[in-house]
Amino acid sequence: LSYGQNKSKSSENGLKGFQLGLNASPDLCYRTLQNNSGDPSLDGLIKMRNEEERVILSYSTGIHAAYQFNQCVGIETGLSYAVRGFQSKKTASISPPDPAAPPYFKSVNHFHLLDIPLKANFIFGENKLRFITSVGVTTNIFLKEMETTILYFDTHTDKHTFESTDPYRTLNFSPTLSAGIDWSLHPNVHVRVEPSFQFSALKIIDTPVSEKLYSAGLKMSLYYRL
């Protein structure tokens, strides 16, 4: 009699344990405005402002720690520095004709955040290239917001940047979802590429016209198994 199995026990255990990883993600971000006061006179302004919003390219980078319970299930947390935001479209100035006034202008807003994710990882497959999906929530700690006004003149462009003093929420939470591939380069080294999406669960500012941030990115990570 002969007994066999399709994989060795060592290969099963090779995916278990702690992992440390570095990650970076380019993100496309945008903002939506909501009527927080119930005043119907604001609806027209909010609709117009939402139509003027444009996505902006942002980024996040950090270090993560993961624990894999078995081949399929693990948990992950970490600390990342993220810059997200929004921008308006290039808009014609409505001021009276003035040689000193710019014909067009645009505003760009960047939020600087510390992100602390907590998520569950689910991995499928038995080869070196496997499918991974993750679901969880990210705690967003607000650091500062930088506002840039870009003035478009006929012959040149001026930029003015300053730190906002608006009362943005210090602590927020973002449901996070991602799905991609996990590639084993070595028994102890893994590369992951995951398209991801997250949004603010709470309003980022509590004013009559409130805001929420959304972002979608491509998270690229390198993990080392301890």
Side-chain angles (χ1 to χ4, degrees):
L1 297 177
S2 175
Y3 296 92
Q5 55 187 21
N6 61 356
K7 55 187 173 182
S8 66
K9 186 175 181 179
S10 61
S11 67
E12 292 180 355
N13 293 332
L15 299 173
K16 297 179 182 179
F18 287 97
Q19 298 176 343
L20 287 179
L22 300 173
N23 66 78
S25 175
D27 301 303
L28 292 176
C29 306
Y30 67 97
R31 174 189 71 163
T32 60
L33 301 176
Q34 297 176 330
N35 191 342
N36 194 35
S37 67
D39 184 356
S41 65
L42 294 175
D43 291 341
L45 173 63
I46 292 173
K47 181 180 178 180
M48 181 184 67
R49 292 284 299 277
N50 281 332
E51 291 174 350
E52 293 177 349
E53 297 294 320
R54 296 293 183 268
V55 298
I56 189 171
L57 180 62
S58 303
Y59 69 90
S60 64
T61 182
I63 182 170
H64 281 204
Y67 183 80
Q68 200 69 25
F69 295 105
N70 51 46
Q71 291 188 101
C72 300
V73 180
I75 59 172
E76 185 173 346
T77 187
L79 181 65
S80 296
Y81 182 81
V83 177
R84 300 188 181 92
F86 59 91
Q87 63 180 343
S88 68
K89 68 178 182 180
K90 186 176 178 180
T91 306
S93 176
I94 59 175
S95 60
D98 183 352
Y104 298 92
F105 69 93
K106 183 174 75 171
S107 62
V108 180
N109 299 66
H110 286 110
F111 295 90
H112 295 252
L113 309 163
L114 285 180
D115 284 352
I116 304 175
L118 180 60
K119 62 180 184 176
N121 297 327
F122 303 95
I123 304 176
F124 307 94
E126 298 177 356
N127 299 317
K128 289 187 175 182
L129 190 63
R130 302 182 300 158
F131 176 77
I132 179 171
T133 183
S134 304
V135 60
V137 63
T138 300
T139 300
N140 312 116
I141 302 174
F142 174 79
L143 300 177
K144 64 180 179 179
E145 185 209 14
M146 302 301 297
E147 297 184 11
T148 300
T149 301
I150 305 175
L151 307 177
Y152 297 92
F153 294 91
D154 294 333
T155 58
H156 65 283
T157 299
D158 284 347
K159 292 184 179 181
H160 304 276
T161 301
F162 59 94
E163 183 173 347
S164 171
T165 58
D166 292 338
Y168 286 100
R169 185 185 298 274
T170 303
L171 194 66
N172 211 325
F173 302 93
S174 299
T176 305
L177 178 67
S178 66
I181 59 172
D182 178 286
W183 183 19
S184 176
L185 300 178
H186 180 274
N188 292 334
V189 180
H190 291 253
V191 172
R192 292 177 182 172
V193 179
E194 305 168 80
S196 62
F197 175 77
Q198 66 175 323
F199 64 93
S200 303
L202 306 174
K203 301 182 292 288
I204 64 175
I205 190 170
D206 191 13
T207 55
V209 179
S210 61
E211 309 172 13
K212 282 192 173 184
L213 286 179
Y214 296 78
S215 65
L218 184 65
K219 181 183 173 185
M220 296 168 285
S221 309
L222 177 68
Y223 288 87
Y224 181 80
R225 187 173 69 88
L226 301 179

